[in-house]
Amino acid sequence: MARSALLNVMVQAAIKAGKSLGRDFGEVQNLQVSVKGPGDFVSNADRKAEKIVKDELLKARPTYGFLGEESEEIKGTDGAHRWIVDPLDGTTNFLHGIPMFAVSIALERNNEIVAAVVFNPATDELYTAERGGGAFLNDRRLRVGARRVLSDSVIACGVPHLGRGNHGKFLVELRHVMGEVAGIRRMGAASLDLAYVAAGRFDGYWETALSAWDIAAGILLIREAGGYVSDWDGGSSILETGSVVAGNEYIQKALLEVAKRPVPAR
């Protein structure tokens, strides 16, 4: 596949950060970990990876803005462009030695995501996309799954944990969805959930209370793989609301309808 100069910069930044994470992953028990909040850990590896990504991206485009999980936002002087970065999506997985984590990088131009990279160094899987150019996994073209009914589908989700999310609301959503689908999976890394939908591994995915850096790259991956992504209200304010429902044309619509069913009256 032919990549633009900007996508090449993003790929190199992700791979460089991924190599650093891979080295730390091999010594995960020795990492110094600080507590950022209940159940939400940030490691030296996380901060180091963000510095690598930031340095690489801003060296290539110093006027662009930068939004990352572990540092203050840089507005930039460009005005039209912004990098949106999660240097280690799936921190809890990483710290527990579970090889489901990723570096996620998206480029936003005039409020639209135009390029995306999600890289899992533990599996050496590199997902890339550019607007209008398709989505790829290690240079293989991606398409979302073709299943048309929820009863045949495997659906991914995020599960709120200690100190995060509305547990009661999620249990209602889960109750509705689990009775309609072939299986439910929880990966612990939103960027990979979305990438797996783009690859056809998952048929759909829903989650709320996310941050822009969790989902920006994955949104473009799915759209360029022929899929559909909306916020919880069926609109396009995904980064603003932090809610996402994804799948192909049929599953995304059906999943949104089922997950949002009201609680039945007793």
Side-chain angles (χ1 to χ4, degrees):
M1 58 166 287
R3 294 176 182 152
S4 71
L6 275 175
L7 187 59
N8 277 328
V9 168
M10 296 166 67
V11 167
Q12 292 307 310
I15 291 175
K16 189 172 181 179
K19 287 181 178 178
S20 175
L21 289 173
R23 288 190 294 269
D24 286 332
F25 186 64
E27 301 180 13
V28 67
Q29 298 301 324
N30 298 323
L31 289 176
Q32 295 179 10
V33 181
S34 60
V35 178
K36 209 167 52 169
D40 188 8
F41 302 101
V42 58
S43 68
N44 287 336
D46 202 337
R47 292 188 291 269
K48 185 164 54 177
E50 178 158 312
K51 185 179 187 305
I52 290 170
V53 173
K54 181 187 287 187
D55 288 349
E56 291 290 312
L57 296 180
L58 295 184
K59 180 173 66 176
R61 294 292 188 275
T63 63
Y64 287 10
F66 184 94
L67 176 65
E69 182 176 12
E70 301 303 334
S71 59
E72 291 186 8
E73 181 175 3
I74 298 172
K75 292 298 184 181
T77 58
D78 175 271
H81 295 86
R82 179 173 67 158
W83 303 111
I84 304 176
V85 173
D86 192 340
L88 176 50
D89 184 27
T91 308
T92 301
N93 284 349
F94 182 88
L95 293 174
H96 285 261
I98 301 169
M100 296 303 301
F101 58 90
V103 182
S104 178
I105 305 173
L107 175 61
E108 184 183 57
R109 177 181 296 138
N110 295 320
N111 300 314
E112 294 287 339
I113 305 300
V114 297
V117 173
V118 173
F119 178 52
N120 181 349
T123 60
D124 200 31
E125 290 190 329
L126 177 69
Y127 298 85
T128 58
E130 290 188 271
R131 189 169 64 179
F136 297 83
L137 167 55
N138 294 345
D139 296 334
R140 177 176 62 84
R141 185 71 177 259
L142 296 181
R143 294 293 299 178
V144 292
R147 295 178 180 85
R148 296 193 175 195
V149 293
L150 286 176
S151 58
D152 293 334
S153 300
V154 171
I155 303 298
C157 66
V159 179
H161 52 79
L162 177 65
R164 291 288 298 275
N166 186 326
H167 294 200
K169 177 177 178 292
F170 170 75
L171 289 174
V172 172
E173 295 165 12
L174 182 62
R175 175 185 174 186
H176 291 152
V177 175
M178 66 192 293
E180 301 282 347
V181 302
I184 292 179
R185 303 289 183 267
R186 194 272 200 262
M187 300 274 281
S191 63
L192 290 176
D193 286 320
L194 292 163
Y196 274 36
V197 173
R201 295 172 175 175
F202 292 150
D203 299 293
Y205 165 67
W206 94 96
E207 189 167 357
T208 59
L210 292 163
S211 298
W213 47 76
D214 296 318
I215 50 180
I219 291 169
L220 186 65
L221 286 172
I222 290 177
R223 288 175 174 164
E224 289 298 321
Y228 288 72
V229 190
S230 78
D231 60 27
W232 191 246
D233 294 317
S236 59
S237 299
I238 305 167
L239 299 185
E240 293 78 14
T241 65
S243 62
V244 59
V245 183
N248 65 22
E249 177 182 3
Y250 306 97
I251 299 303
Q252 192 273 342
K253 180 180 179 182
L255 179 59
L256 183 61
E257 291 176 353
V258 170
K260 290 187 66 175
R261 283 176 183 166
V263 180
R266 292 185 179 274

